[in-house]
Amino acid sequence: MTIFCCPKCGAAFQREHNRYRCEKGHAYDRAGSGYVNLLPPGGKQHGDSKEMLRARRAFLQSGAYEPLQSAICHVAKRALTVAVPTVLDAGCGEGYYTGALCRALPEARVYGIDVSKDAVKMCDGLHMGADFAAASVYALPVLPASCDLVISVFSPFAGEEFARVLKDEGYLISVIPDARHLYALKSVLYDVPYENKVESYEAQGFDFLGAEKLSFTMELDTKEKILSLFAMTPYYHRTGAEGQRRVRELEKLSCEASFQVLLYRKKNLENT
């Protein structure tokens, strides 16, 4: 069984050893590490680069974002009540939060999707006990009403697709940066740093259930940690030569990490 479906016709897949095949004969091979490429053929590589992914893995494995990882798992466990939940990490990156969900919810069926093939290659699905696919969150190759929970951590918010793949009254967890997230880093990069804009919590097709705010200070005491953080952020490609020089000269950095973990429930249209 799998929630993945054929990206060409939308039909359900049957699993044949290391291949997915739909009733119309469209077939996709699974790689040895447990992911399948369901992106349209051709076109340029999308998503994070190998450099950004390696930096993110190095930074996250240092434990710097462990409080956020724990908060996500806590909210997920509190929301889910079914015995064997199906969980989709939409925009899973290299699998840091997906792996944590597998450990926190050992009874769950966990899936991860990312538009970057390099990212899902790094997700060792066979080790995690999860299935991964390269695909866009805006065109999820996932069966309708197949998920109890969708997770979106710093990823594009594809509300219509999330609602489509969620069961009635299924849950959505969206993680966004709070206003002061990484403000100290931006103070180094830019002459005039700015706070992040926090958008409205409203999401069409969902009831907003609440926000869990999380803030902590990271003491980055090596150049490696500082540069890994910098390289995994969108500022890496937006910063000019002077800002790049400033951050590369840093020996240490005390930096606030500030997040909001938002919980939504899909509206049951039959009861509205």
Side-chain angles (χ1 to χ4, degrees):
M1 296 292 294
T2 179
I3 64 170
F4 293 150
C5 65
C6 180
K8 290 184 178 179
C9 65
F13 276 140
Q14 293 295 322
R15 179 87 168 267
E16 300 175 353
H17 301 290
N18 284 325
R19 173 173 288 192
Y20 293 116
R21 185 187 298 274
C22 76
E23 61 184 9
K24 293 187 178 181
H26 303 132
Y28 299 84
D29 292 330
R30 294 175 78 241
S33 58
Y35 85 93
V36 59
N37 181 11
L38 299 179
L39 288 165
K44 66 178 183 179
Q45 172 79 20
H46 294 283
D48 292 338
S49 66
K50 291 181 180 179
E51 183 180 19
M52 293 182 73
L53 290 165
R54 285 193 292 265
R56 178 180 297 138
R57 170 155 286 183
F59 182 79
L60 293 175
Q61 287 184 340
S62 75
Y65 275 15
E66 189 173 344
L68 174 60
Q69 186 188 71
S70 297
I72 292 169
C73 292
H74 174 74
V75 174
K77 292 175 70 173
R78 188 178 63 200
L80 291 171
T81 58
V82 296
V84 185
T86 299
V87 178
L88 173 66
D89 188 352
C92 63
E94 50 21 273
Y96 177 70
Y97 302 104
T98 327
L101 289 165
C102 290
R103 295 189 295 273
L105 302 166
E107 71 284 2
R109 299 166 60 207
V110 180
Y111 299 83
I113 278 180
D114 199 276
V115 73
S116 168
K117 287 189 289 185
D118 290 328
V120 293
K121 286 178 183 178
M122 293 176 68
C123 299
D124 189 349
L126 299 181
H127 177 71
M128 288 186 192
D131 287 330
F132 293 91
S136 168
V137 297
Y138 293 111
L140 291 170
V142 173
L143 293 169
S146 59
C147 300
D148 298 288
L149 173 66
V150 171
I151 307 281
S152 176
V153 184
F154 301 133
S155 295
F157 190 90
E160 289 186 9
E161 277 293 88
F162 296 163
R164 181 184 66 82
V165 304
L166 277 169
K167 299 174 184 177
D168 284 343
E169 300 188 350
Y171 292 96
L172 167 66
I173 294 175
S174 175
V175 180
I176 61 173
D178 212 345
R180 299 283 294 183
H181 182 57
L182 303 186
Y183 191 82
L185 177 62
K186 288 189 285 187
S187 297
V188 175
L189 299 175
Y190 308 127
D191 293 333
V192 183
Y194 57 92
E195 292 190 349
N196 301 308
K197 182 180 180 181
V198 180
E199 303 290 348
S200 168
Y201 295 146
E202 293 183 6
Q204 187 173 2
F206 292 90
D207 292 318
F208 176 61
L209 301 183
E212 183 170 317
K213 296 188 177 183
L214 177 67
S215 182
F216 53 90
T217 299
M218 302 180 294
E219 299 296 342
L220 307 180
D221 53 5
T222 67
K223 281 182 176 287
E224 182 181 9
K225 290 179 183 178
I226 296 168
L227 293 176
S228 291
L229 172 62
F230 177 46
M232 72 180 236
T233 69
Y235 316 126
Y236 184 70
H237 293 295
R238 301 176 187 169
T239 303
E242 176 59 21
Q244 295 258 358
R245 182 192 62 79
R246 292 176 190 168
V247 76
R248 293 182 188 283
E249 289 182 351
L250 291 175
E251 297 289 342
K252 58 183 179 179
L253 178 68
S254 181
C255 187
E256 179 182 359
S258 186
F259 313 95
Q260 293 194 35
V261 183
L262 311 180
L263 180 63
Y264 297 87
R265 182 171 54 213
K266 179 182 173 181
K267 290 181 179 179
N268 186 340
L269 299 180
E270 294 182 358
N271 296 333
T272 59

